[in-house]
Amino acid sequence: NRNLIINGAMQVAQRGTSSTSNGFQTVDRFNLGASGNDEVPTQAQVDVAAGTTPYTLGFRKAFKLTNGNQTGGAGTSDFVFIKYTVEAQDIATSGWNFKSTGSFVTLSFWAKSSVAQNFFGYIEMPDSPEQVFPFQTGSLSADTWTKITVTIPGNSNIVVNNDNGEGLKIFFSQFWGTDFTDSSRALNTWATFNSGQRMPDFTSTWYTTNDATFELTGVQLEVGSVATDFEHRSFGQELALCQRYYQVLATGDQAAIGNGFAFQTNRFQTNVHLPVEMRTTPTLDEQMTGSTKYRINMGNGDQNTGISPSLSSAVSNTRTINLGWSSLGSNVTNGDGGQVRKQGDSGVLGVSAEL
């Protein structure tokens, strides 16, 4: 497994394929960071068009941002970026001698922008003392896929803990305001993290263009100073790797979440065994709307009004979670059994252990 990036071909999107919200919403392991915007960009998993170079190389999906209408202009504290985080122990045991300037990792990816301009990004090593390595894409031609390669040397100041925390972060940036940038910041060199000097000053053309788009696919990070051909993995392999960080418990109308029992009046619990061990004890992720989201089928009558789940961290772990269900009807008594189902087609119920 040369590629340290999970889902670099953007195949897996467990939460959904389009969202106008921040954070992890669509393509697994890649999240949108945006602030100060008049309108938050739309993130989506999209098809790679036939006949393009990435398509001929086996890429069928991409992560796409569609810019909102930033009528207020480019503010000094505004930003938009796509971020990926590598688990620390995966970097520590990768074979990269990150303390040595003669040892390298190489980042490569395909990018396409509807606006012709140069974009900056940066690598961040978050373990103390935090280090930053800025890079650029070079001038991208409008609506043209371009392969970007960045060779990253080690540095004696880098620290990577051998644990399940953040080890290396990659920021694919579309815009940062001048609160975060400095015109004197040198590219392709390590420096101690400074929140106001992450990279050189950013061109605002993409950011101030309504409905501008940016697409990303084929992200690979590998040990060595040369970018090799992308390591394609099967959908099943990528899904299992993604499930260490996020798992869907139920999607679609009437999907079964689990069997359980009432352990006191108006209180029901369900234990769910997770198919893949997660990075840490997860948290509940409800991406649904409406007042009726769940149904508990029981012998003495279905329960479906105002039911809501909570995850008990005290008795949950990386392999099994315990869900408690409250706001049940008064006819539920201790010992009653039943099955919990999702109600309604939209949204998903999941658990997250994202970095």
Side-chain angles (χ1 to χ4, degrees), residues 19 88 97 112 123 162 170 172 200 220 231 271 292 325:
S19 174
N97 182 8
K112 183 174 74 168
I123 308 295
N162 187 26
I170 308 171
F172 305 92
Q220 180 153 290
E231 181 187 27
N271 289 323
T292 304
W325 303 85

Side-chain angles (χ1 to χ4, degrees), residues 267-332:
R267 183 77 175 173
F268 193 90
Q269 72 174 12
T270 306
N271 289 323
V272 180
H273 181 72
L274 303 171
V276 173
E277 183 170 3
M278 303 195 76
R279 182 185 64 87
T280 188
T281 300
T283 58
L284 200 61
D285 180 52
E286 270 191 296
Q287 300 204 12
M288 295 177 289
T289 58
S291 59
T292 304
K293 304 174 185 177
Y294 309 99
R295 175 187 298 274
I296 303 180
N297 299 123
M298 307 181 73
N300 57 354
D302 292 349
Q303 312 291 317
N304 64 0
T305 302
I307 299 170
S308 60
S310 60
L311 188 146
S312 172
S313 58
V315 293
S316 297
N317 54 53
T318 58
R319 292 181 177 272
T320 303
I321 60 167
N322 178 276
L323 298 177
W325 303 85
S326 57
S327 302
L328 276 64
S330 59
N331 60 333
V332 177

Side-chain angles (χ1 to χ4, degrees), residues 47-268:
D47 293 332
V48 173
T52 61
T53 302
Y55 187 94
T56 65
L57 295 174
F59 299 105
R60 294 297 183 269
K61 297 293 182 181
F63 186 102
K64 182 178 182 179
L65 295 184
T66 302
N67 189 27
N69 188 1
Q70 312 305 338
T71 55
T76 61
S77 61
D78 295 0
F79 58 77
V80 177
F81 60 75
I82 303 167
K83 183 177 73 171
Y84 183 95
T85 305
V86 185
E87 197 170 328
Q89 57 193 352
D90 292 340
I91 295 295
T93 62
S94 66
W96 178 34
N97 182 8
F98 48 81
K99 290 286 190 182
S100 171
T101 57
S103 184
F104 302 88
V105 287
T106 298
L107 172 68
S108 56
F109 58 94
W110 286 90
K112 183 174 74 168
S113 168
S114 63
V115 174
Q117 73 165 66
N118 182 30
F119 293 86
F120 295 118
Y122 65 92
I123 308 295
E124 181 180 343
M125 308 299 291
D127 285 326
S128 181
E130 196 170 359
Q131 302 291 305
V132 173
F133 183 95
F135 62 85
Q136 64 182 346
T137 63
S139 183
L140 300 182
S141 299
D143 299 314
T144 303
W145 282 107
T146 302
K147 185 175 183 179
I148 314 300
T149 300
V150 184
T151 303
I152 305 154
N155 184 277
S156 59
N157 292 323
I158 293 175
V159 172
V160 180
N161 297 328
N162 187 26
D163 59 23
N164 66 348
E166 296 179 332
L168 181 150
K169 296 189 281 190
I170 308 171
F171 289 80
F172 305 92
S173 307
Q174 289 70 52
F175 180 71
W176 288 87
T178 53
D179 286 354
F180 310 100
T181 65
D182 190 306
S183 59
S184 65
R185 181 65 170 96
L187 293 169
N188 303 313
T189 183
W190 288 104
T192 300
F193 178 81
N194 182 322
S195 63
Q197 297 179 336
R198 301 167 194 247
M199 64 195 76
D201 291 341
F202 220 106
T203 301
S204 62
T205 309
W206 185 93
Y207 186 65
T208 55
T209 300
N210 188 31
D211 293 334
T213 60
F214 186 96
E215 295 180 55
L216 179 71
T217 196
V219 181
Q220 180 153 290
L221 182 70
E222 57 191 309
V223 176
S225 58
V226 177
T228 64
D229 291 343
F230 184 84
E231 181 187 27
H232 288 280
R233 292 188 283 254
S234 71
F235 182 88
Q237 287 175 300
E238 293 287 15
L239 175 59
L241 292 170
C242 289
Q243 286 177 324
R244 176 170 171 78
Y245 305 93
Y246 187 85
Q247 293 186 34
V248 172
L249 301 180
T251 181
D253 188 31
Q254 301 303 315
I257 297 170
N259 298 325
F261 66 95
F263 65 96
Q264 63 186 50
T265 301
N266 299 331
R267 183 77 175 173
F268 193 90

